Amino acid sequence: MKEKNNRLEALRLIISSQRMGSQEELLGALQKEGFQLTQATLSRDLKQLKVAKAATMGGDYVYVLPNETMYKRVGTSSSVREMMQMPGFMSINFSGNIGVIKTRPGYASAIAWNIDRSNITQILGTIAGDDCIFIVVSEDCTHQEVVDALAEVIPSLK
């Protein structure tokens, strides 16, 4: 299962950092990263990740992740393996009882889902986009209490 999770993570990173227009291109990029899989497995992975094809401004069609508005790409010179070592969480800031969590592209929904499933009493709810999560904080909580509670869900927050 770890191999599949690593492969899905690599696939997310490839799609968010490169323009890929065919499954052949995706297979080649995954193989460069050391993943050996068939086209059928790739097709199942794309379906599981809810990847779609969308038109670019130039009229080409490329794979995009869910919630990837305006076909945002990450400008990076890092390899997929290097990016996989980095956490999805980037930062957290507060304004009153609203918190804003910044994530790497494609991570917000998964992190928000984990926050919601953790039943953190200091957080009333979340709204996630592609790389940003809004959290509503209970009025009787300090920001530090929220950060401490979130550290259980987001280990890189510590």
Side-chain angles (χ1 to χ4, degrees), residues 27-43:
L27 277 172
L30 286 166
Q31 287 171 352
K32 278 186 192 175
E33 297 299 329
F35 295 97
Q36 299 302 316
L37 64 152
T38 65
Q39 183 275 329
T41 299
L42 175 60
S43 186

Side-chain angles (χ1 to χ4, degrees), residues 48-116:
Q48 181 177 343
L49 294 175
K50 295 181 174 63
V51 171
K53 270 194 149 177
T56 65
M57 295 296 217
D60 298 327
Y61 284 85
V62 296
Y63 287 102
V64 294
L65 295 167
N67 297 327
E68 193 170 346
T69 58
M70 301 305 290
Y71 319 116
K72 183 178 359 178
R73 298 276 176 233
V74 178
T76 180
S77 59
S78 303
S79 73
V80 171
R81 292 252 185 246
E82 289 170 327
M83 287 190 288
M84 286 177 70
Q85 300 306 313
M86 298 184 320
F89 169 81
M90 302 293 282
S91 66
I92 185 169
N93 289 293
F94 295 93
S95 177
N97 73 327
I98 300 291
V100 177
I101 299 172
K102 297 285 187 170
T103 71
R104 289 181 25 220
Y107 279 77
S109 291
I111 292 173
W113 186 85
N114 286 332
I115 292 168
D116 290 338

Side-chain angles (χ1 to χ4, degrees), residues 4 12 17 19 58 64 71 92 101 107 110 112 119-120 128 144:
K4 180 178 180 180
R12 275 189 206 96
S17 65
R19 289 177 159 238
V64 294
Y71 319 116
I92 185 169
I101 299 172
Y107 279 77
N119 296 318
I120 297 171
Q144 188 58 52

Side-chain angles (χ1 to χ4, degrees), residues 2-50:
K2 184 174 178 161
E3 173 71 17
K4 180 178 180 180
N5 289 338
N6 287 340
R7 185 179 70 240
L8 291 174
E9 178 68 10
L11 189 53
R12 275 189 206 96
L13 292 169
I14 289 167
I15 291 170
S16 68
S17 65
Q18 302 172 41
R19 289 177 159 238
M20 294 283 155
S22 70
Q23 287 191 9
E24 258 181 44
E25 291 175 326
L26 284 172
L27 277 172
L30 286 166
Q31 287 171 352
K32 278 186 192 175
E33 297 299 329
F35 295 97
Q36 299 302 316
L37 64 152
T38 65
Q39 183 275 329
T41 299
L42 175 60
S43 186
R44 285 189 295 272
D45 288 351
L46 292 172
K47 184 175 181 178
Q48 181 177 343
L49 294 175
K50 295 181 174 63

